[in-house]
Amino acid sequence: MALHIDWIETFKIWWLVLKFFAPLIVLVIIVEFIKRILDIIMERRSRKAGIYEIDQMSGREFEYRLKSLFQNLGYKVELKRGYKDHGADLILIGSEGARVAVQAKKLSNRNGRVGAKVIGEALRGKAVL
C-alpha cells in the first residue's frame, strides 16, 4: 500500500506553524543583533580606555579591556558569554595551542584582596579548558 501525501494539507500546516513562530524568530534575531552591536561598541570603547576610564568600567567592560590587551599580546581570545556563570571569563589560546582560563575581577575597593569564593570560581573556570 502506497503512502499518500496530501501536499496541500502539509503546506497549510507548515504555513500555520511559520505564521505562529515567525514573530518570535524575528524578535530573537533583532535581540541578537542589538546584543552584537552593543558588544562592538563596548569593545571599541574599552580599547581606548586608560587607567582613569578603567576605574569607571563595569565588570563586563573590564573583561572587554582584558580581551583587547591579550589580543595585542598575540593570544587568540574567547570572551565567554555567561559572564555571571562563576567560571572563566576569558579563554586565552597561545600560538602553541596552550589554553589558559582567566577569571577577571575588577575590585571596587582599594585593598586589592580576593577571598576564597573568588579563588573557587577561578578553579571552576579551569573546567572549561
Side-chain angles (χ1 to χ4, degrees), residues 4 15 17 34-35 75 80 90 107 122-123:
H4 175 68
W15 180 251
V17 169
I34 291 170
K35 282 182 185 178
Y75 289 95
K80 304 307 276 182
L90 304 160
L107 301 175
L123 291 173

Side-chain angles (χ1 to χ4, degrees), residues 58-111:
S58 69
R60 188 62 169 173
E61 288 171 325
F62 183 62
E63 291 169 9
Y64 275 102
R65 178 65 176 144
L66 290 176
K67 177 183 176 187
S68 67
L69 288 173
F70 284 121
Q71 284 174 332
N72 289 340
L73 292 171
Y75 289 95
K76 180 181 175 211
V77 182
E78 296 174 14
L79 183 63
K80 304 307 276 182
R81 273 280 180 209
Y83 59 95
K84 296 222 185 253
D85 65 352
H86 305 294
D89 297 315
L90 304 160
I91 303 295
L92 309 180
I93 303 168
S95 58
E96 306 84 30
R99 296 169 63 88
V100 176
V102 176
Q103 172 70 33
K105 290 293 176 202
K106 182 188 162 291
L107 301 175
S108 58
N109 59 18
R110 301 265 181 203
N111 70 11

Side-chain angles (χ1 to χ4, degrees), residues 8-88:
I8 294 175
E9 287 302 315
T10 304
F11 177 77
K12 286 180 182 178
I13 291 170
W14 278 107
W15 180 251
L16 287 173
V17 169
L18 183 62
K19 277 178 43 177
F20 181 75
F21 285 108
L24 181 62
I25 293 169
V26 169
L27 181 63
V28 168
I29 291 170
I30 290 171
V31 167
E32 288 302 315
F33 179 75
I34 291 170
K35 282 182 185 178
R36 184 63 189 136
I37 295 297
L38 292 174
D39 282 349
I40 290 169
I41 291 169
M42 198 179 310
E43 191 169 337
R44 287 188 179 163
R45 274 188 25 206
S46 71
R47 272 191 216 143
K48 298 176 182 180
I51 192 66
Y52 298 109
E53 290 85 7
I54 290 173
D55 280 343
Q56 303 304 315
M57 287 181 177
S58 69
R60 188 62 169 173
E61 288 171 325
F62 183 62
E63 291 169 9
Y64 275 102
R65 178 65 176 144
L66 290 176
K67 177 183 176 187
S68 67
L69 288 173
F70 284 121
Q71 284 174 332
N72 289 340
L73 292 171
Y75 289 95
K76 180 181 175 211
V77 182
E78 296 174 14
L79 183 63
K80 304 307 276 182
R81 273 280 180 209
Y83 59 95
K84 296 222 185 253
D85 65 352
H86 305 294

